[in-house]
């Protein structure tokens, strides 16, 4: 089965370092990037914390690594989105700031994905 023209969408809802699920989305995105799959990444709710660089996991004795989100555009075509109606921290706090989409555009962007997974 050919994967040409397929875009994988990931709806990232899990906060980082809360449980293993916080790293699940990043692992999946990195695997897709290695396979050169275009990605559309949708961060919502606690998932937005994945992109904040001021969070330090060392106090919880967990490895750093969330900055790996910022490396995805170097590995494959990757678009980062958040809902425009969700309050967010200042731009200086991001590893990579996601594009704010109004709710209607948020849904359209997800519909353009060949596959959409929730993490």
């Amino acid at each position: 089965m050919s994967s040409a023209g397929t875009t994988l969408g990931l709806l990232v809802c899990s906060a980082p370092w809360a449980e293993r699920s916080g790293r699940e989305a990043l692992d999946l995105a990195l695997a897709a990037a290695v396979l050169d799959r275009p990605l559309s990444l949708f961060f919502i709710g606690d998932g937005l914390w994945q992109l904040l660089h001021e969070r330090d996991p060392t106090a919880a004795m967990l490895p750093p690594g969330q900055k790996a989100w910022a490396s995805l555009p170097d590995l494959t075509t990757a678009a980062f989105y958040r809902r425009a109606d969700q309050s967010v921290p200042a731009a200086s706090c991001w590893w990579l700031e996601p594009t704010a989409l109004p709710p209607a555009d948020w849904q359209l962007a997800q519909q353009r994905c060949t596959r959409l997974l929730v993490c």
Side-chain angles (χ1 to χ4, degrees), residues 6-38:
T6 62
T7 298
L8 176 62
L10 295 178
L11 183 60
V12 182
C13 306
S14 300
W17 312 305
E19 297 176 13
R20 178 71 187 138
S21 63
R23 177 64 194 244
E24 222 169 56
L26 177 58
D27 290 342
L28 186 54
L30 289 170
V34 168
L35 296 172
D36 202 26
R37 301 295 186 266

